[in-house]
Each structure stands twice: as C-alpha cells, then as structure tokens.
Amino acid sequence: MRVSSVSACPVPPDWQPLNEYQELQESCFFSWATRDIKGYLSKMAWILGVSVAVCAPVAAASFPPAKALGQFILGSTGGGGLILTLLLLRLYFGWRYVRDRLFNATIFYEESGWYDGQTWPKTPEILTRDRLVVSHQIQPILDRLHRTFAILGILVLLGAIVWNLV
C-alpha cells in the first residue's frame, strides 16, 4: 500500500521515503528485524545453524574433528557467525538508508534517470511525520541490530580466547 504524502509533492511514489519504509516492512528479508524478540532470535538462530552446517565441511578439511574437535567447532561456528554478520550488515544498512531518507529535511529523487536528480524540501508536516516514524519505528530496529552486533563481537572475543586455550 503506497502512501501519497501530498498531492503537491513532486517526488515519484517510489522515491518517497515513507513508501520506501513500507516496502522494507513488507520485504521478506528486511521484515526479519521487525519481528518480536522471539521471532527475531529464532530467525537468527536458524540462519546461524544453516551457516554452521555449510561451513562445517570446510572446517573439517582444515581441522579433522577426530584430531582437533575444539578447532573444528570454533572454525565452523566462526564461519557461520561471519555469514550471519554479513546478513545482519545488509539488514542494518537497508534500515539505516531509509532512516536517513526519512530524517533528512529534503528528499533527493530522480525524475526519469541519473542525469536529472532533484531535491524537494519537505513541508513541516511531512518532516514531523517522517521523524516520528524514525524515532518510534526505525530507531528501535537499529538499536536491536546494534545490540546484536555487540553480542556477536563479544562472542568473537570469547571464541578467540577459547581458541588460544584449545
């Protein structure tokens, strides 16, 4: 469902930040970050599990499980964590882009191609509405992703410490 901000708004509907926000909300991939905490964590655990399963054969080639079980487990989970981190970065940058577009007082858009870029200053009503969406809808998503990155960073440090002990 597209929102028409103002009939006098020259920005094409696909370039209006509120419509970009709604597209992210409805997107199969980007909607992961909008789930409740249980749904979010189960999706991240599922991705990590599949990623570890994909990385396990590579880790087994470097560290045979019969000889170096600790390194095998750390290698496969480290690879899985890397894949999870890359997916989370994509989520983060997508939501951050839309947040920046909603928060800015002007909208940059292209009418028909790369050669005719325009900017349109938002009306005070639209700017207030967009900034409310940022503070109440998007910022909590970005805060959740920040916490997830912090937890992943702590897990990487713990993995490095365990690696040196094993």
Side-chain angles (χ1 to χ4, degrees):
M1 174 177 140
R2 298 251 184 239
V3 173
S4 176
S5 299
V6 173
S7 60
C9 176
V11 180
D14 286 346
W15 283 81
Q16 292 180 15
L18 193 60
N19 290 335
E20 292 173 330
Y21 163 68
Q22 289 175 337
E23 285 179 21
L24 279 188
Q25 271 188 318
E26 296 166 2
S27 164
C28 180
F29 176 67
F30 287 99
S31 67
W32 293 355
T34 64
R35 296 175 180 226
D36 64 343
I37 192 68
K38 184 179 177 182
Y40 175 75
L41 290 176
S42 69
K43 184 60 86 170
M44 295 303 117
W46 183 83
I47 292 169
L48 183 62
V50 169
S51 299
V52 168
V54 168
C55 293
V58 175
S62 299
F63 308 104
K67 293 181 181 177
L69 183 61
Q71 285 89 355
F72 166 73
I73 291 171
L74 287 171
S76 58
T77 56
L82 178 64
I83 293 171
L84 176 63
T85 301
L86 292 174
L87 288 173
L88 287 169
L89 280 171
R90 179 64 187 113
L91 273 176
Y92 176 78
F93 287 128
W95 283 107
R96 173 107 187 250
Y97 170 77
V98 170
R99 186 214 49 195
D100 292 345
R101 297 251 309 149
L102 283 166
F103 196 79
N104 287 338
T106 59
I107 300 173
F108 175 79
Y109 66 97
E110 297 172 2
E111 290 179 345
S112 59
W114 61 269
Y115 50 85
D116 63 351
Q118 303 287 329
T119 57
W120 179 72
K122 295 178 183 177
T123 63
E125 297 82 18
I126 292 175
L127 183 59
T128 301
R129 179 204 62 200
D130 287 355
R131 288 187 174 174
L132 280 171
V133 169
V134 167
S135 63
H136 293 286
Q137 301 294 322
I138 296 176
Q139 198 57 47
I141 293 169
L142 293 174
D143 291 342
R144 173 188 278 181
L145 290 169
H146 286 150
R147 287 189 303 272
T148 304
F149 286 126
I151 291 168
L152 285 173
I154 290 168
L155 291 174
V156 166
L157 287 175
L158 290 174
I161 290 169
V162 170
W163 183 274
N164 287 326
L165 296 176
V166 175

